[in-house]
Amino acid sequence: MRSLFPYILCACATLAAQTADPAAPHLRKQGEAAQLVVDGAPFLVLGGELDNSSSSSLSYMDPIWDRMVALNFNSVLAPVSWELIEPREGHFDFSTVDGLIYGARRHGLHLVFLWFGSWKNGTSSYVPEWVKKDFHRFPRGRLANGEAVEVLSIFAPANWQADAAAYAALMRHIRQIDGSAPTVLMMQVENEVGFRNAPRDRSEAADAAFRSPIPKELSDYLEKNKGVLTPEIRARWQAAGAKTSGSWESVFGSGPATDELFMAWYYARYLDRVAAAGKAAYPIPMYVNACLGCAGGGPLARVMDIWLAGAPHIDILSPDIYGSNFEVWCQRYTRRGNPLFIPEMHHSEDATRDMLLAIGQYDAIGTSPFAVDAIENPAASPLARTYALLQQLAPVILAHQGLGRLTGFVLDKDHPSVTREMGGYKLTISLDEIFHSHADIGYGLVAAAGPDEFIGVGAGFGVTFKPKTPGPSQAGLAGVDEGTYREGKWVPGRRLNGDEDDQGRAWRFSPDAPKIERCTVYRYQ
Ligand code: DGJ
């Protein structure tokens, strides 16, 4: 799907979106970046995800919308569950979906819907009662001792068929009421899937699939992509002899890692069928999210190739990043051309720094902290402050993503500086060190916005410049201003000089609070 560019395999679906409905949200490439296009223009998702149960009640949502606006979101990620939209088989109730769309519109917000269908966090608690009760028709996964678990089996066609029918009805409905002026931007298909109860499903159907040869689509993918596979899959595959046919254990060796690859394939195929049915009705971008600490076949970075091979209708594999190593996850989830979208993360101050890194350095389509309706005082929230700045800068960011003219960084005592080449200069970006005081943390995003012109946002860092193109060998600061963007126009505030730019030696962002600054440079020798 994404060997050279993200959507080689999903291009048909995305192109279909463009053909069928030019206004419909879709993904488009700009340089190396994938961008979400809404109403014909690129869009940066400054989002937040609601608690799991909030969007099930419109009256519960009533007071929440204003808080979302006060947090400076442009989008809200809201669950829509199978149990609520299809309470009786084939009888749909979209009143909550409609209310959410109208609520978002009234508040000038967009939505990303999370389809809580067959699974949410690995279990099947959101399936309708008629599915829960009919365990003969809708089989569960099983443990090695034969006991059933409350997890729909990925090996039962009746399960995906029922899920896909409901999801397609939902997408048809969204297209009907939202297709001409889209409020709904993207869909998340299921939530943090994976079999958590055992290394793999041990139902009869699962055992039979495990003993069978690996599917032809996977063989073909391995053959075609053998030079570009992610190292995790390549290592296992090569260690077992790099065969393109045979049983799962003969192609990948035996053990829990192979169980995970096997489950990943069948989860990918299941979700792909659900996504395909949804896209046939309304082809907007669709992604899946991963619980990074959970095995069981979810879209983890280590099984990425399996998902790319098995789920061509899924546009993005997304990490929910709660732990440390934020940047490592960004790196892993941008391999193989996968666009980065982070549907869940913390909303702490640290997390807001990471957002600038994800958007500036990894061309993220957007970010979305989880449980944002729990933020009681938006005015005091670091998230609101960061999103206010990003809202202003979004046009600059979107104009430069993917073109080698944008960078993001988080600096600390262990990683006090980075160098980046952009706009004809080498930039050395370091923790701010003036008056012998040292910032403990520095973070930001810088764009090479025009010839000798840079725009930055962040705090606690300084930038020096070295020319990298023919001409005078040294660079100085022509001028530094703090300011704001109002309706896309730069409105300068203070001219920063003297102590504020280290007597002309460095473009500085004080550690106090993040802000936007513009810097122009000149060359001499
Ligand atoms: C990750 C899940 O995707 C969310 O729906 C929620 O359950 C959080 N975990 C809770 O921390």
Side-chain angles (χ1 to χ4, degrees):
M1 153 162 74
R2 309 162 175 93
S3 52
L4 293 174
F5 174 62
Y7 341 113
I8 285 177
L9 292 182
C10 65
C12 304
T14 304
L15 286 178
Q18 285 172 294
T19 321
D21 219 338
H26 57 276
L27 297 176
R28 183 172 75 193
K29 191 181 176 193
Q30 172 172 284
E32 294 299 310
Q35 297 190 312
L36 175 65
V37 176
V38 180
D39 283 332
F43 186 89
L44 185 65
V45 178
L46 303 174
E49 181 169 325
L50 299 172
D51 274 325
N52 294 159
S53 305
S54 310
S55 58
S56 66
S57 158
L58 296 177
S59 56
Y60 187 89
M61 281 301 294
D62 262 346
I64 289 180
W65 294 113
D66 283 336
R67 292 222 296 280
M68 305 294 100
V69 173
L71 283 162
N72 297 313
F73 294 170
N74 59 24
S75 310
V76 174
L77 277 67
V80 168
S81 67
W82 189 4
E83 64 174 342
L84 288 187
I85 68 155
E86 196 182 7
R88 280 192 303 136
E89 187 169 10
H91 294 263
F92 291 96
D93 175 356
F94 293 116
S95 51
T96 314
V97 173
D98 294 351
L100 291 170
I101 292 176
Y102 298 140
R105 279 187 195 160
R106 274 198 306 278
H107 291 83
L109 292 163
H110 287 279
L111 287 167
V112 172
F113 278 139
L114 319 178
W115 172 236
F116 286 6
S118 293
W119 306 282
K120 194 266 169 191
N121 294 33
T123 75
S124 297
S125 57
Y126 282 88
V127 304
E129 205 175 320
W130 55 268
V131 174
K132 283 182 178 157
K133 286 182 170 165
D134 198 348
F135 53 89
H136 290 297
R137 182 174 160 207
F138 303 110
R140 310 308 198 255
R142 289 187 185 271
L143 306 177
N145 64 7
E147 200 178 295
V149 289
E150 198 45 322
V151 175
L152 288 188
S153 173
I154 43 182
F155 298 95
N159 293 353
W160 72 256
Q161 283 160 2
D163 185 330
Y167 185 65
L170 171 64
M171 295 311 295
R172 243 186 325 272
H173 182 77
I174 294 175
R175 182 178 204 155
Q176 235 168 38
I177 70 158
D178 198 53
S180 54
T183 300
V184 181
L185 304 178
M186 296 201 284
M187 298 295 296
Q188 178 183 295
V189 185
E190 317 290 345
N191 188 82
E192 292 195 348
V193 300
F195 198 68
R196 316 267 162 85
N197 314 67
R200 65 179 174 85
D201 184 354
R202 299 302 296 266
S203 60
E204 252 175 57
D207 280 346
F210 192 66
R211 286 190 302 267
S212 302
I214 62 164
K216 178 166 180 341
E217 300 97 309
L218 181 55
S219 304
D220 292 348
Y221 180 90
L222 291 170
E223 178 61 42
K224 194 164 153 210
N225 293 283
K226 57 184 169 220
V228 290
L229 293 173
T230 51
E232 299 94 320
I233 300 272
R234 191 186 324 132
R236 291 202 60 75
W237 184 52
Q238 285 179 343
K243 298 190 275 286
T244 50
S245 61
S247 70
W248 287 86
E249 288 187 307
S250 91
V251 174
F252 294 110
S254 51
T258 295
D259 292 342
E260 187 183 25
L261 295 180
F262 166 74
M263 292 300 283
W265 173 262
Y266 285 99
Y267 270 111
R269 293 303 302 131
Y270 190 117
L271 268 67
D272 191 64
R273 289 176 173 121
V274 173
K279 279 194 168 175
Y282 185 32
I284 61 176
M286 296 184 185
Y287 71 91
V288 292
N289 65 331
C291 164
L292 299 180
C294 307
L300 269 77
R302 62 179 178 246
V303 295
M304 187 170 207
D305 274 300
I306 301 291
W307 274 85
L308 296 181
H313 294 87
I314 299 289
D315 301 291
I316 305 174
L317 309 178
S318 283
D320 292 343
I321 315 182
Y322 287 100
S324 49
N325 297 331
F326 185 88
E327 183 158 17
V328 171
W329 292 116
C330 292
Q331 283 162 353
R332 290 193 184 147
Y333 274 88
T334 45
R335 296 178 303 175
R336 310 283 286 111
N338 185 53
L340 184 63
F341 176 65
I342 305 173
E344 291 185 42
M345 59 193 293
H346 289 300
H347 47 70
S348 61
E349 182 138 22
D350 282 359
T352 62
R353 296 177 184 131
D354 288 335
M355 286 173 175
L356 300 186
L357 175 70
I359 292 169
Q361 190 62 19
Y362 296 93
D363 295 326
I365 282 174
T367 53
S368 161
F370 177 68
V372 287
D373 34 346
I375 303 175
E376 279 179 2
N377 183 2
S381 151
L383 180 59
R385 188 180 64 190
T386 300
Y387 274 179
L389 296 168
L390 285 171
Q391 286 225 6
Q392 292 178 53
L393 272 186
V396 176
I397 292 168
L398 292 164
H400 297 289
Q401 271 186 335
L403 303 173
R405 301 203 299 254
L406 191 68
T407 187
F409 44 86
V410 175
L411 310 171
D412 58 22
K413 296 253 184 259
D414 297 328
H415 309 94
S417 75
V418 292
T419 57
R420 301 279 155 78
E421 253 188 66
M422 49 200 280
Y425 291 88
K426 179 169 126 187
L427 281 63
T428 302
I429 306 170
S430 316
L431 277 181
D432 185 45
E433 295 189 35
I434 193 165
F435 302 142
H436 310 293
S437 82
H438 303 261
D440 292 331
I441 192 106
Y443 59 96
L445 173 156
V446 168
D452 301 328
E453 181 196 1
F454 295 84
I455 307 288
V457 61
F461 67 95
V463 187
T464 56
F465 297 86
K466 186 92 190 137
K468 291 305 284 180
T469 51
S473 60
Q474 304 211 60
L477 302 184
V480 174
D481 296 297
E482 63 185 7
T484 48
Y485 278 91
R486 288 198 208 131
E487 282 157 25
K489 272 196 72 181
W490 173 244
V491 181
R494 284 184 302 166
R495 165 58 55 115
L496 301 177
N497 207 334
D499 296 341
E500 276 67 56
D501 75 351
D502 198 11
Q503 324 309 328
R505 284 189 286 262
W507 178 24
R508 288 188 61 226
F509 286 75
S510 92
D512 304 337
K515 60 183 162 95
I516 302 176
E517 294 184 16
R518 174 176 179 271
C519 169
T520 51
V521 293
Y522 66 97
R523 294 171 64 163
Y524 67 97
Q525 64 183 21

